[in-house]
Amino acid sequence: MSEIVRMVVVLSLIAGICSAILTFADQSLAPRIEQQTDYYVRGPALERLFGKPATEVLNNKVTIPLEGAVIPVFFSKQGDDIATLAIEATGKGGFGGDLKLMFGVDLRSGRQTGLEVVSHSETPGLGARIEEVSFRRQWQGLPTDKTVALTKDGGDIDGISGATTTSRAAVAGTNDVLQFLRDHKDQILQSISKLEERI
């Protein structure tokens, strides 16, 4: 065996072993990474939507597969009834990229309880103002059976001055999550029921 062939074989073995180790580590750590993401990244949004510490709702989570992705849905109960949901969505087309959002839905009233921003890469002082309470508050009480639009598009949401692209991304994420809720509400409730049976 020539020296070059021996080097290729050795390097291929090293690459294969490293790949196997990384795959094993990724699969082993995935649940822990998701748990940390729930607490540190989604947790603040969940606290504001549910009005209670994130630790009290993190275990109330189901995931719904959708077009190759997995949509996390958190829930709270009142008595025996599922009262509210918090559904993660993507606001596609923000100025700095897609927005990661969380929408609250009151199943009893059929109205939204609020919009929260999980993460974004918007410009400070412009699109980043999506985090401001005055912007997010506009979602509170909106019906879940009607699409949402900016006032300049004939809707009820006042866009952020100088950040129409970001505002439209938030609106697009809202309409996507409302459609998701209409299409998958029964599946969400069945998943919650199965989760509770396992507890």
Side-chain angles (χ1 to χ4, degrees):
M1 183 182 296
S2 71
E3 188 63 25
I4 292 178
V5 172
R6 189 169 20 251
M7 287 177 61
V8 169
V9 171
V10 170
L11 288 174
S12 296
L13 284 172
I14 292 173
I17 292 170
C18 290
S19 176
I21 291 172
L22 289 173
T23 300
F24 175 77
D26 182 58
Q27 292 176 349
S28 300
L29 295 175
R32 180 70 176 157
I33 292 171
E34 183 67 10
Q35 189 179 48
Q36 295 296 303
T37 300
D38 282 348
Y39 184 76
Y40 289 106
V41 180
R42 297 179 177 120
L46 293 171
E47 289 182 350
R48 289 189 290 271
L49 286 174
F50 287 114
K52 59 178 69 173
T55 51
E56 294 185 21
V57 296
L58 290 179
N59 289 330
N60 294 351
K61 176 187 177 185
V62 296
T63 55
I64 307 298
L66 179 69
E67 298 174 358
V70 175
I71 308 298
V73 180
F74 298 83
F75 64 94
S76 69
K77 298 186 71 173
Q78 190 167 58
D80 293 331
D81 299 325
I82 299 165
T84 55
L85 303 176
I87 307 171
E88 188 170 274
T90 301
K92 296 176 182 172
F95 188 78
D98 292 342
L99 314 173
K100 191 65 75 178
L101 307 168
M102 188 78 74
F103 294 91
V105 174
D106 187 329
L107 294 178
R108 299 158 300 178
S109 66
R111 293 188 175 275
Q112 298 185 51
T113 61
L115 157 71
E116 294 295 335
V117 181
V118 176
S119 64
H120 67 83
S121 301
E122 299 302 291
T123 307
L126 290 173
R129 293 178 56 209
I130 190 176
E131 295 186 36
E132 292 181 359
V133 173
S134 58
F135 180 72
R136 293 183 288 109
R137 187 185 296 136
Q138 298 180 89
W139 271 256
Q140 295 176 355
L142 291 176
T144 57
D145 60 352
K146 291 177 60 179
T147 58
V148 174
L150 297 180
T151 52
K152 62 172 56 176
D153 297 326
D156 298 320
I157 300 294
D158 291 325
I160 301 166
S161 179
T164 302
T165 300
T166 306
S167 304
R168 284 205 169 104
V171 165
T174 307
N175 292 325
D176 285 347
V177 85
L178 293 178
Q179 186 63 51
F180 169 78
L181 180 62
R182 284 191 285 273
D183 293 343
H184 299 275
K185 182 178 177 182
D186 289 344
Q187 186 180 0
I188 293 170
L189 297 179
Q190 288 172 4
S191 295
I192 293 173
S193 179
K194 289 179 181 176
L195 174 68
E196 293 185 317
E197 288 174 4
R198 293 197 299 267
I199 297 176

